[in-house]
Amino acid sequence: MTDPTAGGSADVVVVGAGPAGSAAAWALATAGLDAVVLEKARFPREKVCGDGLTPRAVRALDEMGVDVSPAAGWVRHRGLRVFGGGQVVEVDWPTLDSWPSYGLIRARRDLDPLLAEHAVAAGARLEQEVTVTGPLLDDAGRVAGVHAQAGPGKEPVTWRAPLVVSAEGLSGRLAKAIGLTRREDRPLGVAVRRYVETPRGEDPWLDISFDLSAEGPTADAMPGYGWSFGMGDGTANVGFGLLDTRRGGDADPRTVLRRWLASLPPEWQLGEEHAVTPLRGAGLPMALNRGPAYTRGLLLAGDTAGVVNPFNGEGISYALETGRMAGETAAAALAAPEGPAREAVLRRYPQRLREEYGRHHRLGTAFLALLDRPGLVRFATAHGLKRPGMVAAALRLMGNLSDGRDGDRFDRLVAVLTRLTPSV
């Protein structure tokens, strides 16, 4: 292991060892490049997350060669159990050609070091307890590395590289330092969660609830939902996500969560008295709300680029995908001659993100506007949840799970709708 207080150089510096950073480092190392990942904490460490991985994330992990078998510690789940309008329906993940038919559960405390180790096994370097404080700029104002503080003594260090990938999460310190601020016209959600001991900890379904009070959806809880995801070890990840906070107001996610839990059957044991961890919160940056995702030697991936799905608050899938895209783009760029040819490769990265997600995220922001009307949500869930086929179709749309024009009638309809929708 190298001395993190010494600094150094690499082909690419990756900042942050979450799913996006580790996926980027894995892609770079697989391409034969020297990638160093700088992580401010030391594993294991907590990250606020729902811990539920959809089939989209399962495919991303499989393509990276990660062993997601139960023998490797992964818990599989078969679909969603949705509560709304006084109705309850259980819906399996869809059976499609392009996606696995199951999801996974893995606590971020375990997931993140596992993915970092996977990147290291591919040849990347991991430096922990290194807090990046700002970009290192060359005479032309281009990012040429990072300034950081390393080790318990917070020694100042410098890491140099021709390209830097920022996978810092919502904070996006490097991006902000060069003028890439978050767009206020794009949705930003917030989520709170804790772990509880519960007899529902072995449940094969992920519980999603729009009925967040005894009366159903409420104005201070919309657009949002509560969740309870069994971790397979006698505990559950229980939380609430308010999917759009742009309008301000007095809505407090922690209060909404407590009121919802108080309305549930006591035998489920999901309340505060059964908590095994404190209640913690985190932001959910959505709809490509910071960009461009490449400029002046800096690529953005994961939450830093704002790629959380507005339909459902899902972030891990898109962190894995965009981290890998950023790594692949950096590798392709470094294989090109320095100068205009290299820049042309790098500038295609933001366009790739827009092509991949922009139209779906535009639909998601429109969906959020509908969810902001509690009466409409109450009516839609009361009647829609009586039709499992309709719920299954909605699950596919919200989860961005489709076989596209090669799929069934619904997939083809979604493909046409998406193609006609302008990108965010």
Side-chain angles (χ1 to χ4, degrees):
M1 180 177 292
T2 59
D3 178 5
T5 64
S9 62
D11 292 326
V12 181
V13 168
V14 179
V15 183
S22 291
W26 173 84
L28 288 160
T30 301
L33 295 177
D34 177 23
V36 62
V37 186
L38 307 180
E39 166 58 39
K40 65 181 179 181
R42 177 162 292 279
F43 291 128
R45 50 101 168 105
E46 285 287 330
K47 278 288 183 179
V48 177
C49 184
D51 299 331
L53 282 71
T54 69
R56 194 173 185 99
V58 178
R59 190 179 80 169
L61 292 168
D62 184 63
E63 289 177 343
M64 290 173 58
V66 177
D67 180 3
V68 296
S69 67
W74 297 83
V75 176
R76 295 191 176 188
H77 56 79
R78 57 182 294 180
L80 300 185
R81 181 187 294 116
V82 185
F83 299 75
Q87 306 293 320
V88 183
V89 64
E90 294 174 345
V91 182
D92 286 343
W93 292 113
T95 301
L96 301 168
D97 293 336
S98 304
W99 308 96
S101 59
Y102 62 92
L104 296 166
I105 284 285
R106 193 78 184 238
R108 288 289 298 276
R109 182 179 176 86
D110 299 327
L111 174 66
D112 287 10
L114 182 152
L115 293 176
E117 290 166 7
H118 189 69
V120 169
R125 292 183 281 157
L126 173 66
E127 301 291 353
Q128 302 181 65
E129 295 184 312
V130 178
T131 301
V132 170
T133 56
L136 170 68
L137 302 179
D138 64 16
D139 292 340
R142 180 183 177 86
V143 177
V146 297
H147 297 293
Q149 296 174 339
K154 298 187 180 300
E155 300 293 332
V157 297
T158 298
W159 284 89
R160 300 177 182 275
L163 292 173
V164 174
V165 175
S166 170
E168 302 167 272
L170 177 63
S171 67
R173 176 177 291 180
L174 291 176
K176 287 190 287 188
I178 62 171
L180 301 181
T181 56
R182 187 178 65 81
R183 289 186 54 165
E184 297 297 331
D185 62 337
R186 301 283 170 85
L188 174 68
V190 63
V192 292
R193 70 97 175 97
R194 66 157 57 97
Y195 295 100
V196 301
E197 288 186 357
T198 170
R200 297 171 72 83
E202 315 297 325
D203 198 324
W205 303 92
L206 301 182
D207 283 354
I208 297 290
S209 182
F210 295 101
D211 284 347
L212 295 166
S213 73
E215 296 74 36
T218 61
D220 60 354
M222 291 288 115
Y225 63 83
W227 72 76
S228 174
F229 299 165
M231 301 299 296
D233 61 357
T235 68
N237 180 317
V238 179
F240 166 69
L242 185 65
L243 293 186
D244 184 6
T245 59
R246 288 174 297 170
R247 68 193 186 285
D250 299 324
D252 176 9
R254 295 169 186 262
T255 300
V256 175
L257 176 65
R258 293 187 179 102
R259 288 174 180 168
W260 170 53
L261 296 177
S263 72
L264 299 178
E267 60 269 23
W268 289 4
Q269 298 180 20
L270 298 178
E272 291 184 57
E273 65 273 24
H274 303 290
V276 295
T277 65
L279 189 62
R280 295 188 171 96
L284 303 172
M286 303 173 181
L288 304 179
N289 70 4
R290 181 185 277 122
Y294 167 74
T295 187
R296 296 161 49 195
L298 181 69
L299 298 98
L300 312 183
D303 284 7
T304 309
V307 296
V308 172
N309 184 348
F311 273 108
N312 58 9
E314 177 186 1
I316 294 178
S317 306
Y318 303 98
L320 291 167
E321 291 176 2
T322 57
R324 183 175 175 183
M325 288 182 207
E328 291 171 346
T329 300
L334 292 176
E338 187 175 1
R342 180 173 294 180
E343 283 299 300
V345 175
L346 292 163
R347 287 173 181 165
R348 285 198 288 269
Y349 175 63
Q351 182 61 31
R352 185 178 179 186
L353 296 191
R354 286 193 296 270
E355 291 172 353
E356 197 74 32
Y357 309 121
R359 291 177 174 83
H360 185 263
H361 284 192
R362 176 74 72 182
L363 291 172
T365 57
F367 176 73
L368 284 179
L370 294 176
L371 280 187
D372 205 12
R373 303 169 62 183
L376 178 60
V377 175
R378 190 176 299 113
F379 176 85
T381 53
H383 293 82
L385 294 189
K386 295 177 181 178
R387 299 170 175 81
M390 184 180 297
V391 179
L395 176 61
R396 286 163 64 177
L397 174 62
M398 294 171 65
N400 204 3
L401 301 169
S402 169
D403 284 332
R405 286 176 288 185
D406 296 327
D408 59 16
R409 181 181 301 175
F410 178 76
D411 282 349
R412 293 194 296 273
L413 175 63
V414 170
V416 171
L417 177 63
T418 302
R419 192 165 60 250
L420 295 175
T421 301
S423 178
V424 293

